Amino acid sequence: SAVRCQLCPPQRALQASAALRRVSDEHKKEPAASSSQHQFDSHPTDQQPEQEPQGPRPSYTGQGGQESEDYESEEQLQHRILTAALEFVPEHGWSAEAIAEGAKTLGLSAAAAGMFHNDGSELVLHFVSQCNTELSELLEQEQKLVQLGETEKKTTEQFLRDALEARLRMLIPYIEKWPQAISILLLPHNIPSSLNLLTSMIDDIWHYAGDQSTDLNWYTRRAVLTGIYNTTELVMIQDTSPDFEDTWRFLENRVADAVNMHNTAKQIKSTGEALVQGLMGAAVTVKNLSGLNQRR
Amino acid sequence: VYQVFENVAQKYDIMNDSMSLGIHRLWKDVLLHKMNPSPGTLLLDVAGGTGDIAFRFINYVNSVRERQLRRKLKNHQNLSWQEIADSYQEEAVKPFGDSQVVVCDINKEMLKVGRQKAQRLGYSEGLSWVVGNAEELPFGDEKFDVYTIAFGIRNVTHIDLALQEAYRVLKPGGRFLCLEFSQVNNPLLSRLYDLYSFQIIPVLGEVIAGDWKSYQYLVESIRRFPPQEEFKAMIEDAGFLKVDYQNLTSGIVAIHSGFKL
């Protein structure tokens, strides 16, 4: 053991300095209390499970938490664990158990689930964020096709319907446990994150729908679409029709309602303006008739 | 250090209760809750002498297992009788699951008290009692899911060696948990705490266990132990990642946690 002790200090010094070099180069947004090391200990036996080559990952960018290709950061490992955990959700629900099972498939001990909150919050947030990213990519691709002229541009109504349907369909594999996920998202300590994800998703959809407004319209559109999304989600979780037909019909009706209301609102506005102009004209006529307008 | 604990072994539990006014039970419960072990976990409890953590671990894992079984049964409502019978057979083979605790302590007396306690309280399965030194554990590499050391690490002469051993015996993904006295961050409470430690605890030691010196040593060892941030840095040096600590009772006790990733 004396020999072992002699070998230990130099090895540790190497680790410490390697870690420091990485940390000073990186700009990482990690919670304050957690560690500042961003590398894996180069312990020979556990290299295989974690350091698999991540494919064509962008090499060292110097910001945003990307490491050089040799090491994976803790956040990336956490993402991998959560992604692996998703397949256990139908059986264990959105919970620490599912995360523990996910960790086990990656070759880690189940105790690694201790890195996350005990209530499975991170798992749900990770899934929602993943779905949103998928949706963005889908809409981006569609937009490209339209620009290349390969498909026709849809009406706003059709576009919104399709975007929301695509997004909601991503819930189908987990629909049994989705009510649990909704309740987790509504927990007070999760509300900031879940609200953030929701609003950015709605923003995305309107962006690809071609929304250019900068006035009060911006808020009303988002509020309306958020309302449609939430109510359709609730309908979906208790829908038993084949392939959720009822849900899509409900969605169709809601979007049509919203668009109609918007058109009606526009009509009212223009009618209102016309009315006001008519009244102004009548008032001027009366003034003329009564001779008040004459200059002496 | 060995002699201190040889003297105190028999009265260890009673002294714990009287010194911390029973709060040490809550601290240990919080530690288990934080660990949140799932059935099938292998725990190494170092310096765990009288088995407090080990027993709590067994209780926790048992209740989790029961909950899982109940949930499985609920989902099995529409199975055939044959399938139900089969699933009963499968469970009868491993009622405890395969969770295991190894309690390791340098002191045989403490382990003896622990074994007697286990027998008295009816814990029979999944427990092992091993004599060993935290600085040089008698276990192979990468064997355990969780390593805990509750109120033991301040008694280790070379803390960094103990941390390195902890790193060695943990599996990848394994967790290191340490429950230990630490620095109080509230100045008012700190004064009261000092008063209590230096005036009352040795007296209690004399009255209950007939041993003033051991408890004087105890209080001094608490003061000598590095504060939260420093200890966290030591844990990181040993190679652990995502190291964090949680203060209990405004810093009288802290739980440090790290992962081998």
Side-chain angles (χ1 to χ4, degrees):
Chain A
S1 70
V3 174
R4 190 153 49 105
C5 289
Q6 275 172 6
L7 287 177
C8 287
Q11 191 189 33
R12 260 191 301 136
L14 205 65
Q15 276 177 20
S17 60
L20 286 173
R21 215 187 311 133
R22 279 219 165 78
V23 167
S24 62
D25 290 333
E26 271 195 59
H27 153 55
K28 214 165 154 75
K29 45 156 178 73
E30 263 201 310
S34 66
S35 84
S36 48
Q37 272 188 337
H38 299 306
Q39 63 154 11
F40 281 117
D41 187 18
S42 47
H43 195 91
T45 41
D46 59 5
Q47 225 157 37
Q48 266 62 41
E50 290 107 43
Q51 289 184 13
E52 43 182 50
Q54 291 261 312
R57 223 182 334 132
S59 61
Y60 187 65
T61 59
Q63 57 147 333
Q66 286 286 6
E67 296 260 9
S68 68
E69 271 135 40
D70 292 337
Y71 297 100
E72 189 181 40
S73 73
E74 291 158 25
E75 261 184 40
Q76 285 169 334
L77 176 67
Q78 287 186 302
H79 281 303
R80 275 205 303 139
I81 295 181
L82 291 177
T83 310
L86 286 177
E87 80 173 77
F88 297 97
V89 167
E91 188 185 338
H92 294 281
W94 304 91
S95 64
E97 281 168 20
I99 302 180
E101 293 292 321
K104 286 207 282 213
T105 56
L106 292 180
L108 298 173
S109 154
M115 282 197 284
F116 306 99
H117 225 100
N118 271 353
D119 58 8
S121 301
E122 277 103 337
L123 189 55
V124 182
L125 291 171
H126 172 80
F127 174 66
V128 170
S129 153
Q130 225 182 28
C131 287
N132 289 357
T133 316
E134 244 183 82
L135 180 68
S136 291
E137 284 169 9
L138 214 71
L139 295 178
E140 175 83 37
Q141 279 186 345
E142 242 184 64
Q143 197 185 50
K144 278 211 192 93
L145 290 177
V146 166
Q147 280 173 350
L148 293 175
E150 293 186 20
T151 41
E152 284 184 6
K153 192 165 157 60
K154 303 182 195 168
T155 62
T156 311
E157 186 174 337
Q158 185 65 35
F159 181 86
L160 294 177
R161 261 172 58 196
D162 287 342
L164 287 181
E165 184 178 331
R167 176 62 177 79
L168 286 169
R169 274 189 185 274
M170 299 181 198
L171 303 179
I172 293 182
Y174 307 99
I175 198 71
E176 299 257 310
K177 303 282 180 181
W178 194 247
Q180 184 192 9
I182 297 183
S183 65
I184 291 179
L185 288 173
L186 289 174
L187 289 173
H189 67 88
N190 284 331
I191 287 191
S193 328
S194 64
L195 212 55
N196 202 353
L197 287 169
L198 183 62
T199 48
S200 56
M201 172 188 68
I202 300 287
D203 264 350
D204 248 358
I205 297 183
W206 271 122
H207 169 75
Y208 285 105
D211 176 22
Q212 305 280 359
S213 56
T214 51
D215 54 354
L216 195 63
N217 251 336
W218 194 90
Y219 293 99
T220 45
R221 284 186 194 207
R222 266 139 198 79
V224 163
L225 197 59
T226 312
I228 298 180
Y229 177 78
N230 283 339
T231 45
T232 315
E233 193 183 16
L234 290 175
V235 165
M236 191 171 168
I237 57 182
Q238 44 81 53
D239 186 5
T240 48
S241 61
D243 195 36
F244 300 94
E245 299 171 341
D246 290 348
T247 310
W248 310 135
R249 210 165 333 121
F250 177 88
L251 178 62
E252 194 181 324
N253 291 339
R254 292 292 77 67
V255 175
D257 280 349
V259 170
N260 278 345
M261 207 165 48
H262 179 71
N263 290 341
T264 317
K266 269 204 302 203
Q267 275 180 358
I268 293 179
K269 196 162 163 229
S270 57
T271 313
E273 280 171 358
L275 197 64
V276 165
Q277 280 189 354
L279 285 174
M280 285 296 291
V284 169
T285 314
V286 166
K287 258 175 43 179
N288 286 343
L289 287 176
S290 63
L292 284 171
N293 242 359
Q294 286 190 5
R295 288 176 207 242
R296 302 253 167 105
Chain B
V1 177
Y2 192 90
Q3 274 164 346
V4 166
F5 279 91
E6 209 173 359
N7 295 342
V8 313
Q10 290 293 335
K11 295 282 175 67
Y12 188 72
D13 287 328
I14 306 179
M15 273 309 297
N16 273 348
D17 270 334
S18 48
M19 281 195 294
S20 66
L21 307 171
I23 302 182
H24 74 105
R25 296 163 196 258
L26 294 177
W27 290 331
K28 289 171 183 160
D29 288 340
V30 171
L31 178 69
L32 251 302
H33 196 77
K34 194 172 167 98
M35 192 198 303
N36 194 19
S38 45
T41 303
L42 259 68
L43 171 68
L44 173 65
D45 184 21
V46 175
T50 53
D52 274 346
I53 302 287
F55 302 145
R56 281 179 172 73
F57 173 82
I58 295 178
N59 291 343
Y60 196 102
V61 164
N62 278 347
S63 65
V64 171
R65 188 144 193 89
E66 260 178 45
R67 212 180 339 132
Q68 279 182 347
L69 287 177
R70 241 182 297 147
R71 210 186 326 144
K72 215 161 55 142
L73 284 178
K74 243 202 298 181
N75 294 340
H76 285 182
Q77 286 306 327
N78 42 5
L79 286 186
S80 71
W81 287 113
Q82 185 57 40
E83 284 165 307
I84 295 179
D86 286 339
S87 72
Y88 278 157
Q89 259 188 354
E90 183 183 292
E91 278 145 29
V93 173
K94 289 196 286 191
F96 180 50
D98 25 57
S99 326
Q100 281 220 25
V101 189
V102 176
V103 181
C104 178
D105 201 292
I106 199 174
N107 189 309
K108 283 197 273 283
E109 286 303 314
M110 296 286 277
L111 288 176
K112 202 163 83 173
V113 172
R115 256 204 299 264
Q116 287 168 350
K117 212 162 92 172
Q119 235 178 2
R120 205 179 55 227
L121 296 173
Y123 293 99
S124 49
E125 285 183 334
L127 266 180
S128 315
W129 307 86
V130 176
V131 174
N133 182 349
E135 297 176 13
E136 209 179 327
L137 292 171
F139 306 110
D141 292 356
E142 300 194 358
K143 289 268 181 288
F144 296 99
D145 292 304
V146 186
Y147 173 110
T148 53
I149 184 163
F151 301 117
I153 203 160
R154 69 175 187 283
N155 298 314
V156 172
T157 332
H158 298 110
I159 296 181
D160 47 353
L161 290 182
L163 292 174
Q164 280 172 41
E165 279 292 282
Y167 192 86
R168 181 180 67 82
V169 302
L170 277 177
K171 291 188 204 163
R175 190 171 193 184
F176 168 85
L177 281 168
C178 171
L179 176 66
E180 191 53 78
F181 289 107
S182 204
Q183 308 293 341
V184 177
N185 41 25
N186 180 336
L188 174 62
L189 190 60
S190 167
R191 286 240 292 274
L192 286 172
Y193 182 54
D194 282 347
L195 199 74
Y196 182 76
S197 309
F198 287 106
Q199 307 299 337
I200 303 187
I201 288 185
V203 172
L204 279 178
E206 183 57 44
V207 165
I208 299 184
D211 190 350
W212 176 287
K213 283 219 159 54
S214 304
Y215 289 94
Q216 178 88 2
Y217 162 79
L218 172 76
V219 172
E220 282 165 13
S221 71
I222 294 178
R223 290 293 172 291
R224 269 203 312 264
F225 193 70
Q228 284 87 329
E229 282 292 327
E230 204 181 306
F231 188 49
K232 175 175 153 187
M234 289 170 79
I235 300 178
E236 285 171 356
D237 277 344
F240 290 100
L241 293 180
K242 285 210 84 69
V243 181
D244 198 4
Y245 61 85
Q246 183 188 355
N247 279 336
L248 302 178
T249 344
S250 61
I252 296 183
V253 162
I255 299 182
H256 281 76
S257 157
F259 290 89
K260 173 176 178 174
L261 292 176

